Amino acid sequence: MIPRYSRPAMSAQWTEEAKLGRWLEVELAVCRAWAARGVIPAEDLRTIEEHAGFSVERTQELEKTTNHDVVAFLTDVNERIGPASRWIHYGMTSSDVLDTGMGLAIRRSGDLLLAEQAQLTATLKRLALEHAGTLCVGRTHGVHAEVTTFGLKLANHALESRRNEERLAEALRGASVGTLSGAVGTYAMLDPALEADVLAELGLEPEPIPTQVVARDRHAQLVVTMAVAASSLDRLAVELRHLQRTELREAEEAFGVGQKGSSAMPHKRNPITAERISGMARLLRGNAVVALENVALWHERDISHSSAERVILPDAFLALDYMLARSRSLLDGLVVNAERMREVLESSHGLVYSQRVLLGLVERGLTREDAYALVQRNAMRAWDEGRPLRELLGADPEVAAVMGPDEVDALFDPAWYTRHIDDLMARVEAL
């Protein structure tokens, strides 16, 4: 991911230095396990632990000759250790280092993601409760439908964010695995007990039946889950982008002192953060397709997944981390215009109360078909003539025949639509 969309803590997990550092962690943990079994002499283990190291520059220089990154890394490490280096990589194959190192990267990066997702949930919860009674219009197909509240809109996103926490936690557990099973996964040169000791030290679970590599359905599930989380952020961003349209201005992104919205039009205040989030969600969804393509490898393994993973896994973690942080920042600075929300709600001439009127007429003896036709007829006039639906209904003799003016007025009370808000917000409180 380009630096523009990367944050320091997550970026640090995906540097070349960090990757080689994880490889060394794996190699040293295996050496300790062999030493505990009496295979590596204690003096050699001390030498290994005292002198083991690497440099990115030297490893990359060696790779120009070896054309194999793990071999180049091992050569770099061995040059620093001396004769005791014969025990480095003892019984192992490259995938043992690569996949177990990847498991460490996923676990550590996943901790950062889960913390960000949880903070977003908390922010959405806070705003939902704060605006529980802030009236606004609910829309279906982009058209005014019925009365809702801005808090209820955000409450829906808060619950979705919690589901993303749960999904991410499960997918991260499934991908935070390693394998030390050797070529084609038979443990011919290692043994499952040694693998168990090493992975316990590293904080990873073993792949139960490896094929030399960790099965890529695990990584596919993870990236797909990250794409779902990104799509949730996209949904939130799209909602806020719509609400910032000039004809609405119900909610707006913060606009800082000195900020410029357009190089040509000084008046512009654009939803740039929300648009950025929507754009980056497309990247995550694209990465999910690649991760699914990586599942099917030849026989026990090939490396067709390798080149793709070197791009999509770091980018997926970096992008989602950035999106989560920016979404939270957007919400923290969100300008909520409750008065404008009420104006927009009232701008459709009371049409949002049509179902309540329909049911009121049904309760007074009309068939549903007759009541629907009566309300729709007046609603279409309200649309076309820009007149209040309440006024038109009051002048309709068919309505007057079954319902008095006060009864009609009662059907246009927005409190009817918010009478269950406290019950719904209790579900948000429980997060």
Side-chain angles (χ1 to χ4, degrees), residues 146-278:
E146 291 193 346
V147 181
T148 185
T149 76
F150 190 60
L152 195 56
K153 282 177 177 280
L154 294 177
N156 181 274
H157 288 282
L159 272 293
E160 185 171 352
S161 183
R162 174 52 58 84
R163 291 195 297 276
N164 281 320
E165 288 182 54
E166 296 165 351
R167 283 188 286 256
L168 283 169
E170 179 183 358
L172 286 163
R173 279 194 300 272
S176 296
V177 299
T179 182
L180 298 165
S181 54
V184 304
T186 61
Y187 297 92
M189 307 302 167
L190 297 155
D191 69 71
L194 181 142
E195 176 191 64
D197 289 349
V198 171
L199 295 182
E201 177 184 334
L202 297 174
L204 300 175
E205 293 294 322
E207 177 68 67
I209 304 293
T211 62
Q212 182 172 333
V213 297
V214 170
R216 258 47 195 180
D217 67 294
R218 297 177 180 275
H219 304 81
Q221 181 188 17
L222 174 58
V223 181
V224 168
T225 301
M226 293 166 77
V228 171
S231 294
S232 294
L233 299 178
D234 187 13
R235 186 171 80 90
L236 173 63
V238 167
E239 177 70 22
L240 297 177
R241 287 165 60 193
H242 278 306
L243 295 182
Q244 187 162 337
R245 295 201 312 271
T246 304
E247 61 272 24
L248 297 181
R249 293 191 66 196
E250 295 183 46
E252 297 178 272
E253 291 185 15
F255 196 81
V257 176
Q259 184 174 340
K260 304 294 187 291
S262 167
S263 64
M265 296 167 285
H267 73 278
K268 294 300 290 297
R269 290 166 57 167
N270 302 325
I272 58 171
T273 300
E275 289 173 342
R276 190 180 309 158
I277 290 165
S278 289

Side-chain angles (χ1 to χ4, degrees), residues 384-405:
D384 296 339
E385 299 173 18
R387 295 173 60 190
L389 178 61
R390 169 66 190 85
E391 174 187 309
L392 294 170
L393 289 170
D396 191 311
E398 292 186 52
V399 174
V402 295
M403 192 181 297

Side-chain angles (χ1 to χ4, degrees), residues 95 99 211-217 219 291-306 309:
S95 294
D99 280 9
T211 62
Q212 182 172 333
V213 297
V214 170
R216 258 47 195 180
D217 67 294
H219 304 81
L292 291 168
E293 294 288 342
N294 280 349
V295 173
L297 304 179
W298 284 18
H299 304 299
E300 278 58 54
R301 73 133 184 165
D302 59 48
I303 62 166
S304 60
H305 64 290
S306 176
E309 281 180 355

